[in-house]
Amino acid sequence: MQTRSDTYRSWVIGELLLFALLGSSTAFLALSSSLDGYALPEARLALDTAFAVFATIVAILAAVRFRVEGRLMDLLVAAAFFASGLAAFAFRVVPLLGGEQLGPEEAWAAICVELAGTAVLAAAPFVHRRIASRRNALAISAGAVIVAVPTIWLVITAVGAGQPLEGPSGVRTAWSTLVFGLLALLALVALIGFGLRFRRYGRDLDSWFALALTLIVFADLHYLLTPVISSGYVLQGDFLRLLSYGVLLVGVWRAISEAEFGRAVAEERARIAREIHDGLAQYLFAISTSVSMLEAGAVLDDILPRLKKASAAAQQEARFAVLALSSASGTAPFDAALRRYVDFLTADGALDVEVEIDPSVRLDADEQIEIFRIVQEGLANARKHAEARHAEVLIAQRAGRRTVVVRDDGAGFEVDDEPAGQGLRNMRLRAASIEGGFSLRSQPGVGTAIEVVLRT
């Protein structure tokens, strides 16, 4: 089995080989004066459109991953590529749609936004925080980008900084050389940062980012060495940048899939823990208590019926959990399991429970187990805490919606004053897990009613 160190070593070797290949090809093209590009205005417009679309897609995928895991790194990546995509569309695509040439203000605005976005991308691998309020953070960052992009264009236009990228003789100006050099340097910093993250955490996404940034570094070097930058030319660096976006799309998509899988595993673990706590653990505790009573000298004839009931209920719990988690549908197994539980709960006569289930109401497999647990928790609370004498369980259709009601005549309480216990939180979580609405009504001396409205 390959260890993390072996994986990192293989990645380093691959990066060095890629650097050698791209470096040698770049040097050959520069020395042979083959970096002039090709005069293809229509292809230039198509490439800029592709850059805008791909950058926006990468930003959306990074934002989705941020919503899943809440990493600040993903938020910065999303902001950087959203800015690049917005600038490419606003300053490189829209001005050319009318058949006009790209003006110096638009060209410089696009480059400056690209520079700012690359700076943000270079900072992304060095932050390790998580953000709790993810929706607000996404909204703020998107708003900041939407405001910043036109602001940069307005500043360049106002101060008259939009000078041509090339001098009168076609030689690149010092400012344009400096900017393209900074772009390559910032991309290299980002590459190193994601390489270090990959070495530290071994996450697949970091290696994909590093690969894409390797291509971007050499794309920026091609732009730096290319004597002509024009809206009518297609350059060799454009193909490297296009390839880098393809690598980014694959890498971020794979990372989202892994994050969703990890979240599903975590949710499944939490659900299984609730199943054990709410179901089998209760009956196993009853069996253990009965055995302890026997060891203390209790009469076997008094304890044996309790042991039989508890063991039978534990077996039923296991059978029902397996059945409800399978793909089987229908309510007959659910009805039988619920009525057996009610019979077990009311065997000592302390609580009377009336169960009414509309045969036309059908519950999905995932709904069966969660509704069973909600009813179980509600009846247990009515018996232990509310000291109710009578309770009813109603599963029926109301105004075209499937509803589940658990009502008792216990002590009740003021809902606003009652702190939410673990049992109530579990019921809310269970209802939410099956996309159901949960409501609680209670009054002192009147009783408590729990209602779950199931998805349509």
Side-chain angles (χ1 to χ4, degrees), residues 7-25:
T7 302
Y8 179 72
R9 190 179 300 109
S10 300
W11 174 81
V12 170
I13 294 173
E15 278 290 312
L16 291 176
L17 291 175
L18 181 61
F19 252 85
L21 176 62
L22 292 175
S24 59
S25 61

Side-chain angles (χ1 to χ4, degrees), residues 331 335 356-362 394-397:
T331 59
D335 296 357
E356 182 179 346
I357 302 177
D358 187 341
S360 66
V361 176
R362 301 186 66 82
L394 175 63
I395 302 177
Q397 293 270 2

Side-chain angles (χ1 to χ4, degrees), residues 269-337:
R269 287 174 177 171
R271 187 194 60 76
I272 292 173
R274 289 198 304 269
E275 296 300 326
I276 295 173
H277 173 268
D278 296 345
L280 285 172
Q282 297 182 17
Y283 299 116
L284 293 176
F285 177 75
I287 293 173
S288 176
T289 302
S290 300
V291 171
S292 298
M293 293 174 65
L294 286 175
E295 291 178 342
V299 179
L300 178 61
D301 292 339
D302 295 337
I303 302 301
L304 189 58
R306 297 183 186 179
L307 276 172
K308 288 182 177 179
K309 286 184 179 180
S311 60
Q315 286 180 317
Q316 179 60 39
E317 281 288 319
R319 292 193 190 103
F320 178 77
V322 172
L323 178 65
L325 292 173
S326 68
S327 59
S329 61
T331 59
F334 172 83
D335 296 357

